[in-house]
Amino acid sequence: TYLGSPGDELYSISAAASMSTYPAVAVDLSGNVYVAGYNGGSTFAGHPVTPLAGIDSYVFVIKMNSTGTNLLYSAFFAGTGVDIAGAIAVDSAGNAYVTGSTTSDNFPTVNAPQTTFYGNSSDPNAFVTEVNAAGTALVYSTYLSGSGSFWGRGIAVDHSENAYVTGTASASGSTPFPLVKAISSTPSAGFLTEVSAGGGTFAYSTYLPAGIGYGIAVDSTGAAYVTGSTVPTPAPAQGYVLKVNAGGTSVGYGPVLLGNTSTTTTLQTI
């Protein structure tokens, strides 16, 4: 199926007036499929759209049935800047959790631990948003950032509906990244944050001691497993795996580097 606005076919993924790209996907226990991405057009032609918040169709979330034959909902939320989804997860009740980046100072904030935008048109802030199971409302939506550039790259959710977010960090300026029970308070290229169920608070939030965070999973105890790429050292960049114990109390193990110093054998997450 195609998702997007009328226009050119782009990357054989979607059709959009300018673009409908950066797709991320998750599946619930019933096999329903959830897709999030960026729509550069002002419409989402051919599909019913529920505007949850914002001015234009920038971050979209769609839900399809398990056979891919029926669109169960199509929703979008945005501010007036550039808002891009980076990852999506879904809980056992069918609520969708999206992270990404925004340059909007009026991005929707609902039950938000952070309501202030600290970026600008060239320095995005990360965001975390939960869409309810019906696709009709935002359960919560928050910035996750300090001064500088921050991107949400990966998201996971546990059985208690706590969301775990990792991404890219490039801190600059006077406002620090929100640190809560931090394993590392030293600014680095990546971050890890747990958002409590329903929003409202960051249960813990830390810079990553390893590098950029690109992917994340969570186990039944609430321990988070982050993978990404080392930046700036060791060089060349190497993939890594890091376990953070439940509650962000300590490092379970790692970072385990997935490569060596040879440029021919180094594994990288890009």
Side-chain angles (χ1 to χ4, degrees):
T1 186
Y2 282 96
L3 302 171
S5 302
D8 296 329
E9 186 175 333
L10 185 63
Y11 308 132
S12 298
I13 295 175
S14 58
S18 55
M19 61 179 166
S20 178
T21 63
Y22 309 102
V25 66
V27 180
D28 68 19
L29 295 176
S30 299
N32 299 307
V33 178
Y34 301 73
V35 179
Y38 168 88
N39 181 36
S42 59
T43 63
F44 219 54
H47 305 289
V49 174
T50 302
L52 302 183
I55 307 303
D56 216 342
S57 306
Y58 291 147
V59 176
F60 68 83
V61 180
I62 68 101
K63 178 180 179 181
M64 295 187 298
N65 67 356
S66 60
T67 59
T69 57
N70 189 24
L71 189 67
L72 302 179
Y73 72 69
S74 179
F76 69 85
F77 50 92
T80 52
V82 178
D83 311 297
I84 298 174
I88 187 170
V90 61
D91 66 22
S92 58
N95 301 299
Y97 301 75
V98 182
T99 190
S101 68
T102 176
T103 62
S104 301
D105 61 5
N106 59 345
F107 190 81
T109 54
V110 180
N111 299 324
Q114 180 182 331
T115 58
T116 304
F117 176 69
Y118 294 115
N120 53 53
S121 60
S122 58
D123 290 320
N125 281 187
F127 70 82
V128 188
T129 301
E130 179 184 350
V131 179
N132 71 357
T136 56
L138 302 181
V139 177
Y140 68 80
S141 185
T142 184
Y143 293 109
L144 174 55
S145 189
S147 300
S149 296
F150 294 83
W151 297 67
R153 302 288 193 182
I155 191 167
V157 60
D158 66 20
H159 58 81
S160 298
E161 301 181 358
N162 303 300
Y164 301 75
V165 181
T166 191
T168 307
S170 180
S172 63
S174 59
T175 303
F177 181 77
L179 297 174
V180 180
K181 303 176 183 177
I183 294 171
S184 174
S185 59
T186 303
S188 70
F191 67 87
L192 169 64
T193 300
E194 178 187 344
V195 184
S196 299
T201 61
F202 298 135
Y204 71 83
S205 188
T206 184
Y207 280 113
L208 289 171
I212 296 172
Y214 279 110
I216 187 168
V218 61
D219 67 19
S220 60
T221 71
Y225 301 77
V226 181
T227 187
S229 179
T230 59
V231 175
T233 57
Q238 299 177 56
Y240 74 86
V241 177
L242 174 72
K243 178 184 178 181
V244 176
N245 292 324
T249 55
S250 60
V251 172
Y253 61 72
V256 177
L257 299 183
L258 308 177
N260 57 40
T261 57
S262 169
T263 58
T264 60
T265 59
T266 296
L267 301 180
Q268 299 184 54
T269 303
I270 57 174

